[in-house]
Amino acid sequence: MKKWTVTALILLLLTFFAQAQRTPEELYENEFPAPEFAPGLDWINVDEPLTMAGLQGKIVILDFWTYGCVNCLHIIPVLERIETKFADEVVVIGVHSAKFENEGQTENLRQIVQRYAVHHPVVNDNEFVIWRSYGVNAWPTVAIINPRGKLVVRQAGEIPFEAFDTYLTGMIEYFDGLDESLIDRSPLQLALEGASDPGTPLLFPGKVLADAASSRLFIADSSHNRIVIVDMDTHEVLDIIGSGARGFTGGTFDEARFDKPQGMALDGDWLYIADVNNHAIRLADLAAREVMTLAGNGSMGISRLPFGQDISNPLGVSLRSPWDVELDDAGRLHIAMAGTHQLYIYEPAANRLFPSVGNGREANLNGVSLADSELAQPSGLYYAGAGKLYFADSESSAIRLADFANDLVSVVAGTTANSLFDFGDIDGALGENRLQHALGIEGAPDGTLYIADTYNSRIKIIPSGETATQTLAGLGGSGGYADGPASQAEFDEPGGLSLAEGILYIADTNNHVIRTIDLEQGAVGTLRFANPEALVIDAESLTLLGGNQVDDEPIRLDAQQVAVGEGALSLQLSFADDLKINPLIDSQLAVMQDGEALAEIVVAQRITSLPITFSEAGGSLQAELTLYYCREGAEALCYIESARWDIVYETAESAAQSEIVLARQIHAPA
């Protein structure tokens, strides 16, 4: 049984699901109809816009979010668990009400849906129409609508799965007790974006680290859940850390599992890695080719720790989305703990971890001590020496400085106001310039600072000895992809920077590539791997034999009676609660009709249908399934299953059906 902190228990007792103090009618019924969705909005993951009227009979969860908000990202895995456990009764809909202008563009939102594997409908509410109709005033917020179409819950903040589980289970039991027909258990038809193939060996790379001393480049291939090591001179792939499967395991480079790794720091042959979705700090021993965990237990923490509090057992603590790491000249590892809006320090020699900057409240408070400062989702780090640690404070759209020698936090670029909504794309003096959700910061020995101004899709600088920002490269706007002179180059949400030997390396996240700027020539290029074949993920090697016993004999169905003419062959898969189709490799259903190949289709959903024409004379079908599936939240445990069917069908005018169903129960091996 999971152990909860006192804070978590209080949350569980005081929020909307406190059934012990409310009757079922009070918990699950209401007279307030859920407002209808506004027309004319862009929808993702469905072919047609949804309506509340059309969802009658479903329990609907609306997730109000904006994709730059780390607390909103924390909700996504919780919703995934809900979608798995309550797949028949609950429909989750993401209502994306953008904070930043860049987030409000549908194509950018579509890429985020792909990056974070969001498998439910998402509506782009960039004018806040749905937001206002539901009276929402914070990200994230969830609203729950009962099967009668009534709004029964509106709750701001991160809500743990256990709370949803308790409430939804009770609601389903309540309405089934009244009348089992009140809940519509038919599947919602989706048109999932999936993770489209960008045509490059990388997938949403988040950070990059260049080491001139060893002539190595380290790339966080974030959505491939691995670290790629490249020769800086030849651009040859030297090694890969991680198999590419999501998970939280150590061991050899080939066995290790990560979940959306981001920032890295190098100390000799030790590579520190911020493993964001595992909420952990990992260490890769480059000489031994082994991965271990230094801090974090793999689960997300639910509360912040006060400034300076020692964590006696770093491996036992639940952290919250560490986004970047940076070593200082004393060998201490600084951590951008985005999820608690703080910076941490890890001391390797003493195995000591503690919050070092920020009280944990999300704000942009400067001119105060390290302890009293307030940060807003720090996501990038650069240590300049002499106790000066620069950090990209993304939600305040500012570059800020933690001065450990003078116990002071200040701002060096972006808004100087204590505001999280003062952003833009303006160069100039401090106090006038503006950034938009900057994620990366790097520096040169001469004091020049380089900024990944992420949502402006630009690279900016603060020249040595100056305080004003200038645009170094990128046309800005909605982003694009173009090499050439820096003034004409285009980027798409660059997230990380690293400088070595006069070359600035850039993780150009939404373009799925590493870009370079030759600072002397002023030219932007794209890094091309000398051996890109080394980066192809062999997904089949990640799988084990599935849980159903499969022998050489096909499954023979009783003769099927169908109507003459157009019909369908439908594959219907049912999974145990914690299993799902593996998105890393295409599962396939091959079908033959009367001995001739008919079709070979990709199986990406639980229900897959293939049109069939049933001839008057009857006939036969042969179907062969190759299914790759894995555990929800632990994609390192992946399986493969095969099944074959032989079907004989007969047609008759009196036949009521025109569909043949192949049902398969999927479970993992014992």
Side-chain angles (χ1 to χ4, degrees):
M1 181 175 179
K2 186 167 183 176
K3 294 182 179 179
W4 289 89
T5 65
V6 172
T7 303
L9 288 171
I10 292 173
L11 178 65
L12 286 167
L13 291 171
L14 296 183
T15 51
F16 63 82
F17 49 87
Q19 286 94 325
Q21 300 177 25
R22 302 171 65 187
T23 67
E25 289 80 7
E26 290 173 327
L27 281 166
Y28 310 125
E29 298 276 21
N30 201 335
E31 294 303 315
F32 185 73
E36 188 55 86
F37 298 123
L41 301 179
D42 291 338
W43 286 77
I44 298 172
N45 280 342
V46 286
D47 287 327
E48 300 290 338
L50 301 179
T51 64
M52 276 298 166
L55 292 168
Q56 191 86 2
K58 289 290 189 184
I59 299 170
V60 179
I61 297 177
L62 301 183
D63 170 35
F64 290 86
W65 66 304
T66 184
Y67 72 72
C69 158
V70 70
N71 305 94
C72 299
L73 299 182
H74 289 164
I75 294 288
I76 292 176
V78 175
L79 297 175
E80 288 178 344
R81 294 180 66 185
I82 293 170
E83 292 172 292
T84 299
K85 181 165 185 177
F86 303 101
D88 296 331
E89 300 89 357
V90 175
V91 171
V92 176
I93 298 174
V95 182
H96 191 270
S97 306
K99 170 183 175 180
F100 294 100
E101 179 182 349
N102 200 63
E103 294 174 329
Q105 298 171 20
T106 299
E107 288 311 306
N108 289 341
L109 177 56
R110 195 182 308 279
Q111 293 200 69
I112 287 294
V113 166
Q114 295 173 5
R115 188 191 310 184
Y116 290 103
V118 176
H119 291 157
H120 54 251
V122 176
V123 57
N124 187 359
D125 183 38
N126 57 358
E127 297 297 329
F128 289 78
V129 179
I130 304 174
W131 171 286
R132 288 191 295 269
S133 71
Y134 279 82
V136 176
N137 58 20
W139 297 283
T141 291
V142 297
I144 301 180
I145 294 94
N146 73 15
R148 302 187 198 272
K150 308 298 185 181
L151 176 62
V152 290
V153 167
R154 186 185 62 205
Q155 177 77 22
E158 297 180 34
I159 300 171
F161 171 77
E162 288 76 6
F164 279 112
D165 190 16
T166 300
Y167 185 81
L168 294 173
T169 298
M171 177 180 279
I172 292 167
E173 291 175 352
Y174 169 75
F175 280 103
D176 278 347
L178 296 177
D179 183 346
E180 288 191 358
S181 67
L182 288 173
I183 296 180
D184 177 8
R185 288 179 164 84
S186 61
L188 181 69
Q189 294 301 311
L190 300 175
L192 297 180
E193 290 289 325
S196 62
D197 182 0
T200 68
L202 307 177
L203 188 63
F204 295 108
K207 298 287 186 183
V208 62
L209 173 64
D211 179 51
S214 64
S215 191
R216 290 179 297 187
L217 190 69
F218 301 87
I219 301 167
D221 191 7
S222 302
S223 288
H224 278 150
N225 305 303
R226 62 184 182 177
I227 306 298
V228 176
I229 307 175
V230 179
D231 187 291
M232 282 174 53
D233 298 322
T234 66
H235 299 168
E236 177 188 2
V237 177
L238 301 175
D239 210 344
I240 297 172
I241 308 174
S243 70
R246 284 173 58 191
F248 183 49
T249 57
T252 68
F253 282 8
D254 297 328
E255 298 168 342
R257 306 287 188 263
F258 300 90
D259 194 348
K260 298 293 189 297
Q262 287 281 340
M264 300 158 288
L266 184 66
D267 183 9
D269 279 328
W270 284 8
L271 182 72
Y272 297 93
I273 302 164
D275 196 1
V276 177
N277 281 5
N278 280 324
H279 311 284
I281 303 301
R282 316 291 293 279
L283 176 67
D285 185 330
L286 301 178
R289 297 189 76 252
E290 290 186 347
V291 174
M292 63 193 76
T293 301
L294 298 178
N297 58 17
S299 63
M300 183 179 70
I302 61 173
S303 61
R304 61 178 180 259
L305 295 178
F307 174 88
Q309 178 176 316
D310 273 350
I311 300 168
S312 58
N313 178 18
L315 284 173
V317 68
S318 294
L319 304 178
R320 284 173 62 84
S321 300
W323 212 276
D324 200 8
V325 288
E326 177 80 339
L327 286 161
D328 64 19
D329 43 20
R332 303 186 304 175
L333 187 74
H334 296 269
I335 303 167
M337 199 67 69
T340 62
H341 313 293
Q342 294 172 300
L343 304 184
Y344 275 43
I345 287 177
Y346 174 72
E347 296 178 345
N351 193 32
R352 179 180 177 228
L353 179 71
F354 58 93
S356 58
V357 180
N359 59 26
R361 289 191 290 271
E362 184 178 14
N364 181 21
L365 182 60
N366 297 286
V368 295
S369 68
L370 302 178
D372 294 331
S373 64
E374 297 176 359
L375 318 184
Q377 202 171 312
S379 303
L381 299 173
Y382 164 64
Y383 184 72
K388 296 185 183 300
L389 181 68
Y390 292 89
F391 59 98
D393 204 42
S394 59
E395 279 295 282
S396 68
S397 294
I399 303 300
R400 301 170 68 181
L401 171 63
D403 187 340
F404 286 85
N406 295 297
D407 190 23
L408 183 69
V409 172
S410 59
V411 59
V412 298
T415 181
T416 56
N418 186 2
S419 169
L420 302 183
F421 293 86
D422 195 6
F423 52 84
D425 187 4
I426 304 172
D427 283 335
L430 180 61
E432 299 174 359
N433 61 45
R434 294 292 183 270
L435 308 172
Q436 188 179 185
H437 199 82
L439 289 176
I441 178 68
E442 173 67 307
D446 69 357
T448 299
L449 294 177
Y450 298 88
I451 303 167
D453 192 3
T454 305
Y455 285 2
N456 285 325
S457 292
R458 284 182 162 169
I459 307 302
K460 297 187 176 182
I461 65 169
I462 303 176
S464 178
E466 301 182 22
T467 58
T469 59
Q470 302 174 11
T471 294
L472 172 66
L475 291 177
S478 59
Y481 182 21
D483 287 335
S487 61
Q488 299 299 311
E490 292 182 277
F491 303 88
D492 196 346
E493 294 195 9
L497 306 170
S498 191
L499 177 65
E501 304 293 333
I503 303 295
L504 185 66
Y505 295 88
I506 303 156
D508 194 7
T509 303
N510 283 359
N511 281 323
H512 313 285
V513 292
I514 302 301
R515 310 290 290 283
T516 60
I517 302 179
D518 186 317
L519 298 178
E520 182 177 349
Q521 300 294 327
V524 175
T526 299
L527 188 147
R528 308 291 181 187
F529 298 105
N531 53 337
E533 67 278 1
L535 295 175
V536 175
I537 294 178
D538 180 12
E540 293 192 40
S541 69
L542 305 179
T543 60
L544 305 172
L545 183 63
N548 290 316
Q549 293 296 321
V550 180
D551 54 34
D552 293 335
E553 291 298 316
I555 301 166
R556 290 183 170 85
L557 303 184
D558 293 337
Q560 303 289 298
Q561 298 288 326
V562 294
V564 176
E566 298 301 317
L569 179 70
S570 293
L571 174 68
Q572 296 184 4
L573 304 174
S574 56
F575 291 86
D577 285 348
D578 60 346
L579 298 176
K580 68 175 185 178
I581 296 173
N582 186 354
L584 292 175
I585 184 170
D586 287 342
S587 297
Q588 293 185 326
L589 180 69
V591 179
M592 299 180 69
Q593 186 172 25
D594 299 327
E596 299 289 334
L598 179 65
E600 188 171 289
I601 58 176
V602 174
V603 177
Q605 301 182 52
R606 297 183 180 208
I607 299 178
T608 302
S609 187
L610 175 69
I612 298 285
T613 300
F614 296 115
S615 64
E616 186 175 358
S620 65
L621 295 169
Q622 296 80 39
E624 183 170 349
L625 171 68
T626 302
L627 179 70
Y628 300 94
Y629 64 102
C630 52
R631 290 195 182 279
E632 182 72 33
E635 278 75 359
L637 299 174
C638 294
Y639 311 98
I640 182 173
E641 181 155 317
S642 299
R644 292 188 296 144
W645 289 267
D646 274 354
I647 309 113
V648 174
Y649 65 87
E650 302 170 352
T651 59
E653 292 183 3
S654 60
Q657 69 177 27
S658 57
E659 179 184 39
I660 296 175
V661 175
L662 307 179
R664 188 73 170 171
Q665 172 71 43
I666 306 300
H667 58 87

